[in-house]
Amino acid sequence: ASSASSSCPVSPSLKTILITAHRRENHGQPIRDILKAVQLLISRNADIQVVFPAHLSPHVQEAVKEILQDFQSDRLHVIAPVSYEALCKLMQLSYLVLTDSGGLQEEAPALGKPVLVLRTDTERMEGVAAGTARLIGTHTMDIVSEVEKLLHDKDEYAKFSQAVFPYGDGRAAERIVSILIDQFSNSEADRIETIDG
């Protein structure tokens, strides 16, 4: 595994899987099972690389050390946590995202990236209902199976990456500006009419 630095050499010739995992309910055996799935995925799929900005939580760091310390692969990049801007760039470069983060369940689909949720439930069911995210849990072979399905089945991947984004159409700011202009224009006309009247 690459050392935990903030830079990450992402090879454009490989499919990048971005993984984030830090939630309290995934501490202990679940994070270990997630990391075992990462090992298996890299061992079984020569066309992928995994980027894992490892959370600084002692629970995550301990699991990384225990499971990945002796795993040698130039396609596994365990890096230090990154800025939001860098995380967005990694999402943009990724083929798919494995995460237990609520925020990434919303953000990755905005970039057309499938999200496999490392949880058994989520407060963001809109993504699951729309087909941009799938709850897969933390069992090692479930993770491997779901990731490999997206790696090898173009139709399955297309269902995710081309699903309708459930969190809006990206035009909220435009609509708000339009409403404000209308409100202020009408208020100005009312004020002028009152002064002249």
Side-chain angles (χ1 to χ4, degrees):
S2 295
S3 63
S5 68
S6 60
S7 64
C8 173
V10 175
S11 171
S13 64
L14 297 172
K15 293 176 181 172
T16 300
I17 298 173
L18 174 63
I19 179 170
T20 69
H22 66 278
R23 293 180 71 89
R24 185 170 290 125
E25 62 263 31
N26 282 344
H27 290 173
Q29 194 58 47
I31 188 71
R32 286 169 174 77
D33 289 345
I34 291 167
L35 296 176
K36 288 175 186 173
V38 167
Q39 286 180 315
L40 276 173
L41 285 164
I42 289 172
S43 297
R44 292 166 50 141
N45 299 278
D47 62 338
I48 69 164
Q49 62 189 337
V50 174
V51 179
F52 179 31
H55 196 276
L56 296 178
S57 159
H59 299 283
V60 173
Q61 292 295 316
E62 178 183 304
V64 167
K65 191 173 193 177
E66 176 187 326
I67 305 296
L68 299 179
Q69 182 172 354
D70 296 328
F71 183 71
Q72 298 299 314
S73 174
D74 59 353
R75 294 181 292 114
L76 173 60
H77 308 284
V78 179
I79 62 174
V82 296
S83 68
Y84 180 71
E85 182 179 353
L87 185 63
C88 289
K89 182 69 173 171
L90 285 171
M91 277 191 286
Q92 188 175 29
L93 295 171
S94 294
Y95 185 76
L96 66 91
V97 176
L98 276 170
T99 189
D100 62 8
S101 164
L104 293 188
Q105 292 176 55
E106 293 180 8
E107 294 157 354
L111 298 170
K113 306 303 175 177
V115 179
L116 296 176
V117 184
L118 300 167
R119 297 164 58 182
T120 55
D121 58 25
T122 180
E123 63 282 358
R124 289 172 173 85
M125 287 304 294
E126 302 93 334
V128 174
T132 61
R134 179 177 294 154
L135 292 168
I136 64 168
T138 61
H139 296 292
T140 299
M141 292 314 296
D142 291 344
I143 295 167
V144 170
S145 173
E146 292 293 335
V147 169
E148 288 183 342
K149 200 181 302 179
L150 291 176
L151 289 173
H152 306 299
D153 184 337
K154 290 180 183 178
D155 292 334
E156 185 71 12
Y157 184 85
K159 277 196 290 188
F160 269 84
S161 63
Q162 297 171 10
V164 175
F165 183 66
Y167 303 105
D169 62 6
R171 297 184 57 219
E174 179 183 317
R175 290 185 184 105
I176 291 168
V177 168
S178 178
I179 290 167
L180 290 173
I181 288 171
D182 286 347
Q183 284 294 109
F184 284 113
S185 294
N186 290 338
S187 295
E188 183 68 19
D190 292 344
R191 192 173 66 76
I192 293 170
E193 189 176 296
T194 303
I195 294 171
D196 289 341

